[in-house]
Amino acid sequence: MSSSISRSTPRKSLPSPSVLTKCPVAIFLAPIVEELMFRAGIFGGLRKKNRVLAYLVCILLFSVYHVWGYALDDPMAWIYAVQYLPVGYLLCRIYDRTDSIWGSILLHMLMDTFPALYQRGVLALWSVEVWVGVWTGVVWLIAVKQCGEAEPY
């Protein structure tokens, strides 16, 4: 009598996180953490000393934060940080003008929704393109309403 383990039996591996766990983190948790860290923490702290420096530091750190993991392996990936500069500015501006973290958190959640759903295979590419256009308009309207005309520093 021999006891042997069948080699044809596949190993069980841990299941990968599903759409149900990844999307809420990407859409809800990440924006809350990032806004508390960048807008309430860094921007809010520096704004008391120097508003222009607060904008620059917060926007640059926000941009670098979103690409550093890729850029360490591929230095050409640093160019992708440029796409986060306008978003960082808009989120800082809303926080600065409203003096509330909730506006920037909500906007950040809205901006993360469609890429998160697309990456998880929930949305087709064409619908993402349509919705990005729609949300760009919504974001612009929110920004204009929240920020109004620029005040001199």
Short mmCIF file of all heavy atoms in Angstrom, two decimals, residues 17-87:
data_model
loop_
_atom_site.label_atom_id
_atom_site.label_comp_id
_atom_site.label_asym_id
_atom_site.label_seq_id
_atom_site.Cartn_x
_atom_site.Cartn_y
_atom_site.Cartn_z
N PRO A 17 -8.67 39.42 -5.54
CA PRO A 17 -9.77 40.28 -5.11
C PRO A 17 -10.73 40.56 -6.27
O PRO A 17 -10.31 40.77 -7.39
CB PRO A 17 -9.07 41.57 -4.68
CG PRO A 17 -7.68 41.15 -4.35
CD PRO A 17 -7.38 40.01 -5.27
N SER A 18 -11.98 40.53 -5.99
CA SER A 18 -12.99 40.71 -7.03
C SER A 18 -13.30 42.18 -7.23
O SER A 18 -12.82 43.06 -6.53
CB SER A 18 -14.26 39.96 -6.64
OG SER A 18 -14.87 40.61 -5.55
N VAL A 19 -14.13 42.39 -8.21
CA VAL A 19 -14.60 43.75 -8.50
C VAL A 19 -15.30 44.33 -7.28
O VAL A 19 -15.18 45.51 -6.99
CB VAL A 19 -15.57 43.71 -9.71
CG1 VAL A 19 -16.26 45.04 -9.90
CG2 VAL A 19 -14.83 43.30 -10.96
N LEU A 20 -15.97 43.47 -6.54
CA LEU A 20 -16.71 43.95 -5.37
C LEU A 20 -15.81 44.47 -4.26
O LEU A 20 -16.24 45.26 -3.43
CB LEU A 20 -17.60 42.82 -4.83
CG LEU A 20 -18.70 42.35 -5.77
CD1 LEU A 20 -19.45 41.18 -5.16
CD2 LEU A 20 -19.65 43.48 -6.10
N THR A 21 -14.55 44.03 -4.23
CA THR A 21 -13.65 44.54 -3.19
C THR A 21 -12.71 45.61 -3.72
O THR A 21 -12.38 46.53 -2.99
CB THR A 21 -12.81 43.41 -2.58
OG1 THR A 21 -12.09 42.73 -3.60
CG2 THR A 21 -13.68 42.42 -1.83
N LYS A 22 -12.29 45.52 -4.97
CA LYS A 22 -11.35 46.50 -5.51
C LYS A 22 -12.01 47.84 -5.83
O LYS A 22 -11.43 48.88 -5.58
CB LYS A 22 -10.66 45.97 -6.77
CG LYS A 22 -9.56 45.00 -6.49
CD LYS A 22 -8.86 44.65 -7.80
CE LYS A 22 -7.65 43.79 -7.56
NZ LYS A 22 -6.97 43.48 -8.82
N CYS A 23 -13.19 47.81 -6.40
CA CYS A 23 -13.84 49.06 -6.79
C CYS A 23 -14.16 49.97 -5.60
O CYS A 23 -13.89 51.16 -5.66
CB CYS A 23 -15.08 48.80 -7.63
SG CYS A 23 -14.67 48.41 -9.34
N PRO A 24 -14.74 49.45 -4.52
CA PRO A 24 -15.00 50.35 -3.39
C PRO A 24 -13.72 50.97 -2.83
O PRO A 24 -13.72 52.14 -2.43
CB PRO A 24 -15.67 49.45 -2.36
CG PRO A 24 -16.31 48.37 -3.15
CD PRO A 24 -15.38 48.14 -4.32
N VAL A 25 -12.64 50.22 -2.82
CA VAL A 25 -11.38 50.78 -2.33
C VAL A 25 -10.91 51.89 -3.26
O VAL A 25 -10.54 52.97 -2.81
CB VAL A 25 -10.30 49.67 -2.20
CG1 VAL A 25 -8.93 50.27 -1.96
CG2 VAL A 25 -10.67 48.73 -1.07
N ALA A 26 -10.94 51.63 -4.57
CA ALA A 26 -10.46 52.62 -5.54
C ALA A 26 -11.37 53.84 -5.62
O ALA A 26 -10.90 54.96 -5.80
CB ALA A 26 -10.34 51.98 -6.93
N ILE A 27 -12.65 53.63 -5.47
CA ILE A 27 -13.61 54.74 -5.64
C ILE A 27 -13.86 55.50 -4.35
O ILE A 27 -14.00 56.72 -4.38
CB ILE A 27 -14.94 54.21 -6.22
CG1 ILE A 27 -14.71 53.63 -7.62
CG2 ILE A 27 -16.00 55.29 -6.24
CD1 ILE A 27 -15.89 52.86 -8.18
N PHE A 28 -13.89 54.83 -3.21
CA PHE A 28 -14.25 55.49 -1.97
C PHE A 28 -13.08 55.68 -1.00
O PHE A 28 -12.84 56.79 -0.53
CB PHE A 28 -15.39 54.73 -1.26
CG PHE A 28 -16.64 54.66 -2.07
CD1 PHE A 28 -17.02 53.46 -2.65
CD2 PHE A 28 -17.42 55.77 -2.27
CE1 PHE A 28 -18.18 53.40 -3.42
CE2 PHE A 28 -18.56 55.72 -3.04
CZ PHE A 28 -18.95 54.52 -3.62
N LEU A 29 -12.39 54.61 -0.69
CA LEU A 29 -11.36 54.69 0.34
C LEU A 29 -10.13 55.48 -0.10
O LEU A 29 -9.65 56.36 0.64
CB LEU A 29 -10.95 53.28 0.78
CG LEU A 29 -9.97 53.21 1.94
CD1 LEU A 29 -10.56 53.88 3.17
CD2 LEU A 29 -9.60 51.76 2.24
N ALA A 30 -9.61 55.20 -1.28
CA ALA A 30 -8.41 55.89 -1.75
C ALA A 30 -8.59 57.41 -1.82
O ALA A 30 -7.73 58.16 -1.33
CB ALA A 30 -7.95 55.34 -3.10
N PRO A 31 -9.69 57.93 -2.39
CA PRO A 31 -9.86 59.38 -2.40
C PRO A 31 -9.94 60.01 -1.01
O PRO A 31 -9.40 61.09 -0.79
CB PRO A 31 -11.17 59.59 -3.17
CG PRO A 31 -11.27 58.41 -4.05
CD PRO A 31 -10.70 57.27 -3.24
N ILE A 32 -10.57 59.32 -0.07
CA ILE A 32 -10.66 59.86 1.29
C ILE A 32 -9.27 59.95 1.90
O ILE A 32 -8.88 60.99 2.45
CB ILE A 32 -11.60 59.01 2.16
CG1 ILE A 32 -13.04 59.17 1.68
CG2 ILE A 32 -11.47 59.38 3.63
CD1 ILE A 32 -14.02 58.20 2.33
N VAL A 33 -8.51 58.87 1.78
CA VAL A 33 -7.16 58.85 2.36
C VAL A 33 -6.27 59.90 1.68
O VAL A 33 -5.56 60.66 2.35
CB VAL A 33 -6.54 57.43 2.23
CG1 VAL A 33 -5.07 57.45 2.58
CG2 VAL A 33 -7.29 56.46 3.11
N GLU A 34 -6.31 59.95 0.34
CA GLU A 34 -5.46 60.90 -0.38
C GLU A 34 -5.83 62.34 -0.08
O GLU A 34 -4.96 63.20 0.08
CB GLU A 34 -5.54 60.63 -1.89
CG GLU A 34 -4.85 59.35 -2.28
CD GLU A 34 -5.01 59.00 -3.75
OE1 GLU A 34 -5.42 59.88 -4.54
OE2 GLU A 34 -4.72 57.85 -4.12
N GLU A 35 -7.12 62.64 0.00
CA GLU A 35 -7.53 64.02 0.28
C GLU A 35 -7.17 64.42 1.71
O GLU A 35 -6.75 65.56 1.94
CB GLU A 35 -9.02 64.22 0.03
CG GLU A 35 -9.39 64.15 -1.43
CD GLU A 35 -8.57 65.08 -2.29
OE1 GLU A 35 -8.49 66.28 -2.00
OE2 GLU A 35 -7.97 64.60 -3.28
N LEU A 36 -7.31 63.52 2.65
CA LEU A 36 -6.90 63.84 4.02
C LEU A 36 -5.38 64.05 4.09
O LEU A 36 -4.91 64.95 4.79
CB LEU A 36 -7.33 62.73 4.98
CG LEU A 36 -8.83 62.64 5.24
CD1 LEU A 36 -9.16 61.40 6.06
CD2 LEU A 36 -9.34 63.90 5.93
N MET A 37 -4.64 63.25 3.35
CA MET A 37 -3.18 63.35 3.37
C MET A 37 -2.69 64.60 2.63
O MET A 37 -1.92 65.39 3.19
CB MET A 37 -2.58 62.09 2.73
CG MET A 37 -1.08 62.05 2.75
SD MET A 37 -0.40 60.43 2.24
CE MET A 37 -1.15 60.12 0.67
N PHE A 38 -3.16 64.78 1.40
CA PHE A 38 -2.62 65.87 0.58
C PHE A 38 -3.28 67.22 0.86
O PHE A 38 -2.61 68.22 1.03
CB PHE A 38 -2.72 65.53 -0.91
CG PHE A 38 -1.79 64.44 -1.32
CD1 PHE A 38 -2.25 63.18 -1.60
CD2 PHE A 38 -0.42 64.67 -1.39
CE1 PHE A 38 -1.39 62.17 -1.96
CE2 PHE A 38 0.45 63.68 -1.75
CZ PHE A 38 -0.03 62.41 -2.04
N ARG A 39 -4.61 67.27 0.83
CA ARG A 39 -5.28 68.56 1.00
C ARG A 39 -5.34 68.99 2.46
O ARG A 39 -4.91 70.07 2.81
CB ARG A 39 -6.69 68.51 0.40
CG ARG A 39 -6.83 69.20 -0.92
CD ARG A 39 -5.84 68.84 -1.97
NE ARG A 39 -6.07 67.53 -2.55
CZ ARG A 39 -5.23 66.97 -3.41
NH1 ARG A 39 -4.14 67.58 -3.80
NH2 ARG A 39 -5.47 65.78 -3.89
N ALA A 40 -5.91 68.15 3.33
CA ALA A 40 -6.05 68.55 4.73
C ALA A 40 -4.71 68.59 5.44
O ALA A 40 -4.45 69.49 6.23
CB ALA A 40 -7.01 67.61 5.45
N GLY A 41 -3.85 67.64 5.14
CA GLY A 41 -2.56 67.57 5.83
C GLY A 41 -1.52 68.52 5.26
O GLY A 41 -1.17 69.53 5.87
N ILE A 42 -1.02 68.20 4.08
CA ILE A 42 0.08 68.97 3.49
C ILE A 42 -0.35 70.38 3.10
O ILE A 42 0.24 71.36 3.53
CB ILE A 42 0.66 68.21 2.28
CG1 ILE A 42 1.29 66.89 2.73
CG2 ILE A 42 1.68 69.08 1.54
CD1 ILE A 42 1.66 65.95 1.61
N PHE A 43 -1.42 70.46 2.29
CA PHE A 43 -1.86 71.78 1.82
C PHE A 43 -2.35 72.64 2.98
O PHE A 43 -1.98 73.81 3.10
CB PHE A 43 -2.95 71.64 0.76
CG PHE A 43 -3.40 72.94 0.19
CD1 PHE A 43 -2.66 73.58 -0.78
CD2 PHE A 43 -4.57 73.54 0.63
CE1 PHE A 43 -3.06 74.80 -1.30
CE2 PHE A 43 -4.98 74.75 0.12
CZ PHE A 43 -4.23 75.38 -0.86
N GLY A 44 -3.18 72.05 3.83
CA GLY A 44 -3.72 72.80 4.97
C GLY A 44 -2.64 73.31 5.90
O GLY A 44 -2.72 74.43 6.41
N GLY A 45 -1.61 72.51 6.12
CA GLY A 45 -0.51 72.94 6.99
C GLY A 45 0.35 74.02 6.37
O GLY A 45 0.70 75.00 7.04
N LEU A 46 0.68 73.85 5.11
CA LEU A 46 1.55 74.84 4.43
C LEU A 46 0.81 76.13 4.09
O LEU A 46 1.42 77.19 4.01
CB LEU A 46 2.14 74.24 3.16
CG LEU A 46 3.23 73.19 3.36
CD1 LEU A 46 3.62 72.58 2.01
CD2 LEU A 46 4.44 73.80 4.04
N ARG A 47 -0.48 76.04 3.87
CA ARG A 47 -1.27 77.21 3.46
C ARG A 47 -1.20 78.33 4.50
O ARG A 47 -1.21 79.51 4.16
CB ARG A 47 -2.72 76.79 3.23
CG ARG A 47 -3.64 77.93 2.84
CD ARG A 47 -5.02 77.45 2.54
NE ARG A 47 -5.62 76.80 3.69
CZ ARG A 47 -6.91 76.49 3.77
NH1 ARG A 47 -7.72 76.76 2.77
NH2 ARG A 47 -7.39 75.91 4.84
N LYS A 48 -1.08 77.97 5.75
CA LYS A 48 -1.00 78.98 6.82
C LYS A 48 0.27 79.81 6.72
O LYS A 48 0.29 80.95 7.13
CB LYS A 48 -1.07 78.30 8.19
CG LYS A 48 -2.36 77.57 8.43
CD LYS A 48 -2.30 76.74 9.68
CE LYS A 48 -3.55 75.90 9.80
NZ LYS A 48 -3.45 74.89 10.85
N LYS A 49 1.32 79.20 6.17
CA LYS A 49 2.61 79.89 6.06
C LYS A 49 2.80 80.57 4.71
O LYS A 49 3.25 81.71 4.64
CB LYS A 49 3.74 78.90 6.30
CG LYS A 49 3.71 78.33 7.70
CD LYS A 49 4.75 77.27 7.90
CE LYS A 49 4.59 76.75 9.32
NZ LYS A 49 4.94 75.43 9.52
N ASN A 50 2.46 79.85 3.64
CA ASN A 50 2.67 80.39 2.29
C ASN A 50 1.73 79.66 1.33
O ASN A 50 1.94 78.50 1.02
CB ASN A 50 4.13 80.20 1.88
CG ASN A 50 4.45 80.85 0.56
OD1 ASN A 50 3.63 80.90 -0.35
ND2 ASN A 50 5.67 81.35 0.46
N ARG A 51 0.71 80.35 0.86
CA ARG A 51 -0.31 79.73 0.00
C ARG A 51 0.26 79.23 -1.32
O ARG A 51 -0.05 78.12 -1.75
CB ARG A 51 -1.44 80.73 -0.25
CG ARG A 51 -2.51 80.17 -1.16
CD ARG A 51 -3.71 81.06 -1.23
NE ARG A 51 -4.57 80.68 -0.12
CZ ARG A 51 -5.27 81.51 0.61
NH1 ARG A 51 -5.23 82.78 0.38
NH2 ARG A 51 -6.03 81.08 1.58
N VAL A 52 1.12 80.00 -1.96
CA VAL A 52 1.69 79.59 -3.24
C VAL A 52 2.56 78.34 -3.05
O VAL A 52 2.47 77.38 -3.83
CB VAL A 52 2.50 80.73 -3.89
CG1 VAL A 52 3.23 80.26 -5.14
CG2 VAL A 52 1.58 81.91 -4.21
N LEU A 53 3.37 78.33 -2.01
CA LEU A 53 4.20 77.17 -1.72
C LEU A 53 3.32 75.95 -1.42
O LEU A 53 3.63 74.83 -1.84
CB LEU A 53 5.14 77.44 -0.54
CG LEU A 53 6.07 76.31 -0.15
CD1 LEU A 53 7.06 76.02 -1.27
CD2 LEU A 53 6.79 76.63 1.15
N ALA A 54 2.23 76.15 -0.73
CA ALA A 54 1.31 75.06 -0.42
C ALA A 54 0.76 74.44 -1.69
O ALA A 54 0.71 73.21 -1.83
CB ALA A 54 0.17 75.57 0.46
N TYR A 55 0.34 75.28 -2.64
CA TYR A 55 -0.15 74.77 -3.92
C TYR A 55 0.95 73.98 -4.63
O TYR A 55 0.71 72.85 -5.08
CB TYR A 55 -0.60 75.92 -4.84
CG TYR A 55 -2.04 76.32 -4.66
CD1 TYR A 55 -2.40 77.39 -3.85
CD2 TYR A 55 -3.05 75.65 -5.33
CE1 TYR A 55 -3.72 77.77 -3.70
CE2 TYR A 55 -4.38 76.02 -5.18
CZ TYR A 55 -4.71 77.08 -4.37
OH TYR A 55 -6.02 77.45 -4.23
N LEU A 56 2.13 74.55 -4.75
CA LEU A 56 3.21 73.89 -5.49
C LEU A 56 3.60 72.55 -4.87
O LEU A 56 3.69 71.54 -5.57
CB LEU A 56 4.43 74.81 -5.58
CG LEU A 56 4.28 76.05 -6.45
CD1 LEU A 56 5.52 76.94 -6.32
CD2 LEU A 56 4.05 75.67 -7.89
N VAL A 57 3.83 72.55 -3.59
CA VAL A 57 4.27 71.32 -2.91
C VAL A 57 3.18 70.25 -2.99
O VAL A 57 3.45 69.09 -3.33
CB VAL A 57 4.66 71.61 -1.45
CG1 VAL A 57 4.85 70.31 -0.67
CG2 VAL A 57 5.91 72.45 -1.40
N CYS A 58 1.95 70.61 -2.70
CA CYS A 58 0.87 69.64 -2.68
C CYS A 58 0.61 69.07 -4.07
O CYS A 58 0.45 67.85 -4.23
CB CYS A 58 -0.40 70.28 -2.13
SG CYS A 58 -1.71 69.08 -1.84
N ILE A 59 0.58 69.91 -5.08
CA ILE A 59 0.34 69.45 -6.45
C ILE A 59 1.47 68.54 -6.92
O ILE A 59 1.22 67.48 -7.51
CB ILE A 59 0.17 70.65 -7.40
CG1 ILE A 59 -1.13 71.39 -7.07
CG2 ILE A 59 0.17 70.21 -8.85
CD1 ILE A 59 -1.25 72.75 -7.72
N LEU A 60 2.70 68.93 -6.66
CA LEU A 60 3.84 68.10 -7.08
C LEU A 60 3.86 66.76 -6.35
O LEU A 60 4.08 65.71 -6.97
CB LEU A 60 5.15 68.84 -6.90
CG LEU A 60 5.40 69.97 -7.88
CD1 LEU A 60 6.66 70.74 -7.50
CD2 LEU A 60 5.50 69.44 -9.30
N LEU A 61 3.65 66.77 -5.05
CA LEU A 61 3.64 65.51 -4.29
C LEU A 61 2.49 64.60 -4.71
O LEU A 61 2.65 63.38 -4.82
CB LEU A 61 3.58 65.78 -2.79
CG LEU A 61 4.85 66.33 -2.16
CD1 LEU A 61 4.63 66.64 -0.68
CD2 LEU A 61 6.01 65.36 -2.34
N PHE A 62 1.33 65.18 -4.98
CA PHE A 62 0.18 64.42 -5.45
C PHE A 62 0.50 63.75 -6.79
O PHE A 62 0.20 62.56 -6.99
CB PHE A 62 -1.03 65.36 -5.59
CG PHE A 62 -2.28 64.69 -6.06
CD1 PHE A 62 -3.02 63.87 -5.21
CD2 PHE A 62 -2.77 64.91 -7.34
CE1 PHE A 62 -4.19 63.28 -5.64
CE2 PHE A 62 -3.94 64.32 -7.77
CZ PHE A 62 -4.65 63.50 -6.92
N SER A 63 1.14 64.47 -7.68
CA SER A 63 1.50 63.92 -8.99
C SER A 63 2.54 62.82 -8.87
O SER A 63 2.40 61.76 -9.48
CB SER A 63 2.03 65.03 -9.90
OG SER A 63 1.05 66.00 -10.11
N VAL A 64 3.57 63.06 -8.09
CA VAL A 64 4.63 62.07 -7.91
C VAL A 64 4.07 60.82 -7.22
O VAL A 64 4.41 59.69 -7.59
CB VAL A 64 5.80 62.68 -7.11
CG1 VAL A 64 6.77 61.61 -6.64
CG2 VAL A 64 6.52 63.72 -7.94
N TYR A 65 3.21 61.00 -6.26
CA TYR A 65 2.60 59.89 -5.53
C TYR A 65 1.91 58.90 -6.47
O TYR A 65 1.93 57.70 -6.25
CB TYR A 65 1.62 60.45 -4.49
CG TYR A 65 0.76 59.40 -3.81
CD1 TYR A 65 1.27 58.64 -2.77
CD2 TYR A 65 -0.55 59.19 -4.21
CE1 TYR A 65 0.49 57.70 -2.13
CE2 TYR A 65 -1.34 58.25 -3.58
CZ TYR A 65 -0.83 57.51 -2.55
OH TYR A 65 -1.60 56.57 -1.93
N HIS A 66 1.26 59.43 -7.51
CA HIS A 66 0.49 58.58 -8.41
C HIS A 66 1.34 57.83 -9.44
O HIS A 66 0.83 56.94 -10.10
CB HIS A 66 -0.60 59.39 -9.10
CG HIS A 66 -1.77 59.62 -8.21
ND1 HIS A 66 -1.82 60.64 -7.30
CD2 HIS A 66 -2.92 58.93 -8.07
CE1 HIS A 66 -2.96 60.58 -6.65
NE2 HIS A 66 -3.65 59.54 -7.09
N VAL A 67 2.60 58.18 -9.61
CA VAL A 67 3.42 57.51 -10.63
C VAL A 67 4.71 56.91 -10.10
O VAL A 67 5.39 56.18 -10.82
CB VAL A 67 3.75 58.45 -11.81
CG1 VAL A 67 2.50 58.91 -12.51
CG2 VAL A 67 4.59 59.61 -11.37
N TRP A 68 5.09 57.18 -8.87
CA TRP A 68 6.42 56.78 -8.41
C TRP A 68 6.65 55.27 -8.48
O TRP A 68 7.75 54.82 -8.78
CB TRP A 68 6.71 57.30 -7.01
CG TRP A 68 5.97 56.59 -5.92
CD1 TRP A 68 4.74 56.91 -5.44
CD2 TRP A 68 6.41 55.45 -5.19
NE1 TRP A 68 4.37 56.03 -4.46
CE2 TRP A 68 5.39 55.11 -4.28
CE3 TRP A 68 7.55 54.66 -5.22
CZ2 TRP A 68 5.47 54.05 -3.41
CZ3 TRP A 68 7.63 53.59 -4.34
CH2 TRP A 68 6.60 53.30 -3.46
N GLY A 69 5.62 54.48 -8.23
CA GLY A 69 5.78 53.03 -8.28
C GLY A 69 6.16 52.52 -9.66
O GLY A 69 6.93 51.58 -9.80
N TYR A 70 5.64 53.17 -10.69
CA TYR A 70 5.97 52.79 -12.07
C TYR A 70 7.29 53.42 -12.50
O TYR A 70 8.06 52.83 -13.24
CB TYR A 70 4.87 53.24 -13.03
CG TYR A 70 3.51 52.73 -12.64
CD1 TYR A 70 2.56 53.57 -12.05
CD2 TYR A 70 3.16 51.40 -12.85
CE1 TYR A 70 1.31 53.09 -11.69
CE2 TYR A 70 1.92 50.92 -12.49
CZ TYR A 70 1.00 51.77 -11.92
OH TYR A 70 -0.23 51.30 -11.56
N ALA A 71 7.51 54.63 -12.05
CA ALA A 71 8.68 55.39 -12.50
C ALA A 71 9.98 54.85 -11.92
O ALA A 71 11.04 55.08 -12.48
CB ALA A 71 8.52 56.87 -12.15
N LEU A 72 9.92 54.14 -10.82
CA LEU A 72 11.14 53.55 -10.27
C LEU A 72 11.68 52.47 -11.20
O LEU A 72 12.89 52.29 -11.31
CB LEU A 72 10.88 52.97 -8.88
CG LEU A 72 10.58 53.99 -7.78
CD1 LEU A 72 10.28 53.29 -6.48
CD2 LEU A 72 11.74 54.96 -7.61
N ASP A 73 10.78 51.76 -11.87
CA ASP A 73 11.19 50.73 -12.82
C ASP A 73 11.48 51.29 -14.21
O ASP A 73 12.33 50.78 -14.91
CB ASP A 73 10.12 49.65 -12.94
CG ASP A 73 9.96 48.86 -11.66
OD1 ASP A 73 10.95 48.75 -10.91
OD2 ASP A 73 8.85 48.35 -11.42
N ASP A 74 10.73 52.31 -14.58
CA ASP A 74 10.87 52.89 -15.91
C ASP A 74 10.92 54.41 -15.79
O ASP A 74 9.89 55.05 -15.62
CB ASP A 74 9.70 52.48 -16.79
CG ASP A 74 9.76 53.08 -18.18
OD1 ASP A 74 10.83 53.60 -18.57
OD2 ASP A 74 8.73 53.01 -18.89
N PRO A 75 12.11 55.00 -15.86
CA PRO A 75 12.23 56.46 -15.69
C PRO A 75 11.37 57.27 -16.68
O PRO A 75 10.98 58.39 -16.37
CB PRO A 75 13.71 56.73 -15.93
CG PRO A 75 14.39 55.43 -15.64
CD PRO A 75 13.41 54.36 -16.02
N MET A 76 11.03 56.70 -17.81
CA MET A 76 10.18 57.42 -18.76
C MET A 76 8.76 57.60 -18.22
O MET A 76 8.01 58.45 -18.69
CB MET A 76 10.13 56.68 -20.10
CG MET A 76 11.45 56.72 -20.86
SD MET A 76 11.99 58.39 -21.23
CE MET A 76 10.74 58.91 -22.37
N ALA A 77 8.39 56.84 -17.23
CA ALA A 77 7.04 56.92 -16.65
C ALA A 77 6.83 58.21 -15.86
O ALA A 77 5.69 58.57 -15.56
CB ALA A 77 6.76 55.71 -15.76
N TRP A 78 7.91 58.92 -15.53
CA TRP A 78 7.76 60.20 -14.81
C TRP A 78 6.93 61.20 -15.61
O TRP A 78 6.29 62.07 -15.03
CB TRP A 78 9.12 60.81 -14.46
CG TRP A 78 9.79 60.11 -13.34
CD1 TRP A 78 10.91 59.35 -13.39
CD2 TRP A 78 9.38 60.10 -11.96
NE1 TRP A 78 11.23 58.86 -12.15
CE2 TRP A 78 10.31 59.31 -11.25
CE3 TRP A 78 8.32 60.67 -11.26
CZ2 TRP A 78 10.20 59.08 -9.89
CZ3 TRP A 78 8.22 60.45 -9.90
CH2 TRP A 78 9.15 59.67 -9.23
N ILE A 79 6.90 61.05 -16.93
CA ILE A 79 6.13 61.98 -17.76
C ILE A 79 4.64 61.90 -17.43
O ILE A 79 3.90 62.87 -17.59
CB ILE A 79 6.40 61.74 -19.26
CG1 ILE A 79 5.86 62.89 -20.10
CG2 ILE A 79 5.79 60.44 -19.72
CD1 ILE A 79 6.59 64.17 -19.93
N TYR A 80 4.20 60.75 -16.94
CA TYR A 80 2.78 60.59 -16.60
C TYR A 80 2.37 61.44 -15.40
O TYR A 80 1.18 61.66 -15.19
CB TYR A 80 2.44 59.12 -16.36
CG TYR A 80 2.53 58.30 -17.61
CD1 TYR A 80 3.51 57.33 -17.76
CD2 TYR A 80 1.65 58.51 -18.67
CE1 TYR A 80 3.61 56.59 -18.92
CE2 TYR A 80 1.74 57.78 -19.83
CZ TYR A 80 2.72 56.81 -19.95
OH TYR A 80 2.81 56.08 -21.10
N ALA A 81 3.32 61.92 -14.65
CA ALA A 81 3.00 62.79 -13.51
C ALA A 81 2.34 64.08 -13.99
O ALA A 81 1.56 64.70 -13.26
CB ALA A 81 4.25 63.09 -12.70
N VAL A 82 2.62 64.48 -15.22
CA VAL A 82 2.07 65.72 -15.77
C VAL A 82 0.55 65.69 -15.79
O VAL A 82 -0.10 66.71 -15.53
CB VAL A 82 2.64 65.98 -17.19
CG1 VAL A 82 1.96 67.14 -17.87
CG2 VAL A 82 4.13 66.19 -17.12
N GLN A 83 -0.04 64.53 -16.05
CA GLN A 83 -1.50 64.46 -16.13
C GLN A 83 -2.18 64.70 -14.78
O GLN A 83 -3.37 65.01 -14.73
CB GLN A 83 -1.94 63.12 -16.71
CG GLN A 83 -1.71 61.94 -15.80
CD GLN A 83 -2.05 60.63 -16.45
OE1 GLN A 83 -2.79 60.59 -17.43
NE2 GLN A 83 -1.54 59.55 -15.90
N TYR A 84 -1.45 64.57 -13.70
CA TYR A 84 -2.03 64.78 -12.37
C TYR A 84 -1.89 66.22 -11.88
O TYR A 84 -2.48 66.58 -10.87
CB TYR A 84 -1.39 63.82 -11.35
CG TYR A 84 -1.75 62.38 -11.62
CD1 TYR A 84 -0.87 61.55 -12.30
CD2 TYR A 84 -2.98 61.88 -11.23
CE1 TYR A 84 -1.21 60.23 -12.57
CE2 TYR A 84 -3.33 60.57 -11.50
CZ TYR A 84 -2.43 59.76 -12.16
OH TYR A 84 -2.77 58.45 -12.43
N LEU A 85 -1.14 67.04 -12.59
CA LEU A 85 -0.95 68.43 -12.16
C LEU A 85 -2.26 69.23 -12.17
O LEU A 85 -2.58 69.87 -11.17
CB LEU A 85 0.12 69.11 -13.02
CG LEU A 85 1.53 68.53 -12.91
CD1 LEU A 85 2.47 69.20 -13.92
CD2 LEU A 85 2.08 68.63 -11.51
N PRO A 86 -3.04 69.22 -13.27
CA PRO A 86 -4.30 69.98 -13.24
C PRO A 86 -5.29 69.45 -12.21
O PRO A 86 -5.99 70.23 -11.56
CB PRO A 86 -4.87 69.82 -14.66
CG PRO A 86 -3.78 69.26 -15.48
CD PRO A 86 -2.79 68.62 -14.58
N VAL A 87 -5.35 68.14 -12.05
CA VAL A 87 -6.25 67.54 -11.06
C VAL A 87 -5.84 67.98 -9.66
O VAL A 87 -6.67 68.35 -8.84
CB VAL A 87 -6.24 66.00 -11.18
CG1 VAL A 87 -7.04 65.37 -10.06
CG2 VAL A 87 -6.77 65.58 -12.53
#
